[in-house]
């Protein structure tokens, strides 16, 4: 068991603290901003707050926190069993992060993908439906080693992690290509008909996917070097980039909320303007007989 530098532990404590603040920020947007200028009782407001997007985003942040906490447990472990328990928390949390990230990104951008590449859309939808469940195979070797201490889970675990990371990489590259292609086609053929909603999704989606790809690259270095210093640095970078990824998704939500608020304000102004014109027309109409 390695003794990681206190710097790495401090980084993870900082990530946990900032992620906790983000959870409160998400709760504020879910319960206050998303329900602003909308009617309904508490149940209706709660249902709006508990949307699929908000729940997935919350699960991603919580799972990332679990990954940071599990790594801290590993760093403080004095027995092999404690170290393995920390590793189990990390692998399970990472599986949840990857699954949640793929589902969130797909649910946000599937309509954009269908517009951009209708031929590949059915295959991508099948990928999203089945492949993410394979991520939960990664904690199995650690569970077996906890039950059978003589079992060495390193090689099997490494192979499963590489396979799952490859699946996430394929998804990330596909999403970046689809989002980039959408923006290129829009700029080329419809520069004056931009859909601001899809524009926000594509830009923040690309940022999140790039962070995820860089995270996978640093995770590969972690696999190669293990608990050696380069591996520890790479693992810290992996978790920081995971934080960047879920922050990009959170900022996407905020940007979409602001765009929606602007749309509602513009609609309200249009309605008020139409009412004003109608009243003015009626006023002119009623005044004409008096002038005759």
């Amino acid at each position: 068991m390695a003794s990681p530098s206190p710097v790495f532990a401090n980084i993870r404590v900082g990530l946990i603290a900032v992620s906790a603040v983000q959870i409160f920020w998400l709760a504020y947007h879910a319960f206050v901003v998303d329900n602003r200028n909308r009617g309904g009782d508490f149940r209706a407001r709660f249902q709006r707050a508990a949307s699929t997007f908000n729940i997935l985003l919350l699960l991603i942040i919580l799972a990332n926190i679990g990954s940071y906490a599990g790594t801290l447990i590993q760093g403080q472990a004095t027995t092999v069993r404690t170290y393995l328990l920390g590793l189990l928390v990390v692998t399970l949390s990472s599986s949840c992060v990857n699954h949640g990230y793929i589902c969130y990104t797909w649910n946000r951008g599937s309509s954009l993908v269908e517009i951009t590449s209708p031929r590949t859309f059915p295959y991508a939808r099948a990928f999203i439906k089945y492949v993410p469940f394979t991520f939960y195979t990664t904690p199995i070797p650690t569970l077996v080693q906890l039950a059978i201490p003589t079992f060495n889970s390193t090689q099997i675990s490494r192979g499963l992690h590489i396979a799952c990371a490859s699946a996430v990489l394929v998804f990330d590259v596909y999403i970046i290509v689809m989002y980039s292609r959408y923006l290129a086609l829009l700029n080329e053929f419809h520069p004056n008909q931009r859909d601001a909603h899809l524009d926000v999704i594509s830009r923040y989606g690309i940022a999140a996917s790039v962070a995820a790809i860089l995270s996978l690259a640093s995770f590969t270095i972690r696999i190669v070097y293990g608990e050696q210093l380069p591996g520890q640095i790479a693992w810290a970078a992996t978790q920081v980039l995971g934080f960047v990824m879920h922050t990009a998704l959170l900022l996407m939500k905020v940007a979409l909320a602001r765009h929606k608020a602007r749309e509602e304000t513009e609609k309200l102004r249009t309605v008020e303007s139409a009412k004003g014109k109608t009243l003015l027309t009626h006023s002119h109409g009623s005044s004409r007989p008096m002038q005759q």
Side-chain angles (χ1 to χ4, degrees):
M1 289 174 291
S3 299
S5 167
V7 173
F8 298 128
N10 292 336
I11 289 173
R12 290 176 179 105
V13 170
L15 290 175
I16 290 173
V18 178
S19 297
V21 173
Q22 289 180 329
I23 289 175
F24 285 106
W25 190 21
L26 174 62
Y28 168 76
H29 270 269
F31 284 97
V32 179
V33 177
D34 291 352
N35 281 291
R36 189 172 290 163
N37 300 325
R38 295 187 180 185
D41 55 9
F42 175 79
R43 183 176 181 181
R45 296 171 68 87
F46 181 82
Q47 287 177 341
R48 281 193 291 266
S51 67
T52 300
F53 297 121
N54 289 338
I55 291 174
L56 283 173
L57 193 49
L58 176 62
L59 289 176
I60 292 170
I61 298 174
L62 287 174
N64 265 333
I65 291 176
S67 177
Y68 311 145
T71 305
L72 289 173
I73 292 171
Q74 287 181 280
Q76 298 299 317
T78 56
T79 65
V80 174
R81 186 172 184 81
T82 304
Y83 181 87
L84 289 174
L85 285 171
L87 179 60
L88 180 63
V89 171
V90 170
T91 53
L92 183 59
S93 297
S94 298
S95 300
C96 292
V97 169
N98 289 331
H99 193 177
Y101 158 71
I102 285 180
C103 289
Y104 185 94
T105 304
W106 179 254
N107 285 333
R108 279 292 191 198
S110 59
S111 59
L112 185 149
V113 173
E114 189 172 14
I115 292 171
T116 307
S117 182
R119 292 181 63 182
T120 63
F121 179 78
Y123 302 103
R125 185 170 53 189
F127 179 96
I128 301 302
K129 187 175 181 180
Y130 299 110
V131 172
F133 290 102
T134 63
F135 299 160
Y136 298 101
T137 60
T138 56
I140 293 176
T142 305
L143 280 171
V144 174
Q145 189 170 354
L146 280 167
I148 308 173
T150 56
F151 176 77
N152 189 341
S153 64
T154 303
Q155 295 302 322
I156 297 176
S157 180
R158 183 175 295 176
L160 289 173
H161 278 296
I162 291 174
C164 292
S166 299
V168 177
L169 178 62
V170 169
F171 173 79
D172 283 326
V173 171
Y174 177 77
I175 286 296
I176 289 177
V177 170
M178 291 299 103
Y179 284 0
S180 300
R181 187 178 177 187
Y182 168 79
L183 291 174
L185 290 173
L186 199 63
N187 288 329
E188 183 177 356
F189 297 106
H190 305 286
N192 299 320
Q193 299 179 15
R194 302 181 70 90
D195 186 324
H197 180 82
L198 293 179
D199 196 44
V200 168
I201 290 175
S202 59
R203 292 185 185 280
Y204 282 95
I206 289 174
S209 295
V210 168
I213 288 176
L214 293 175
S215 177
L216 292 173
S218 58
F219 179 69
T220 303
I221 298 174
R222 160 70 172 185
I223 290 176
V224 172
Y225 286 95
E227 293 294 342
Q228 299 178 47
L229 182 59
Q232 291 184 26
I233 295 173
W235 183 231
T238 299
Q239 293 184 319
V240 169
L241 288 165
F243 170 83
V244 172
M245 178 270 292
H246 83 232
T247 300
L249 297 180
L250 186 60
L251 291 175
M252 179 197 293
K253 172 182 172 54
V254 175
L256 288 172
R258 288 177 178 173
H259 167 64
K260 190 172 184 179
R262 284 195 298 268
E263 277 190 334
E264 291 177 350
T265 301
E266 290 174 2
K267 286 180 181 178
L268 184 61
R269 287 175 180 172
T270 302
V271 170
E272 292 297 330
S273 177
K275 286 182 178 179
K277 290 179 180 179
T278 302
L279 289 174
L280 186 61
T281 301
H282 285 320
S283 176
H284 284 307
S286 62
S287 64
R288 284 169 189 160
M290 297 177 64
Q291 293 173 356
Q292 290 178 352

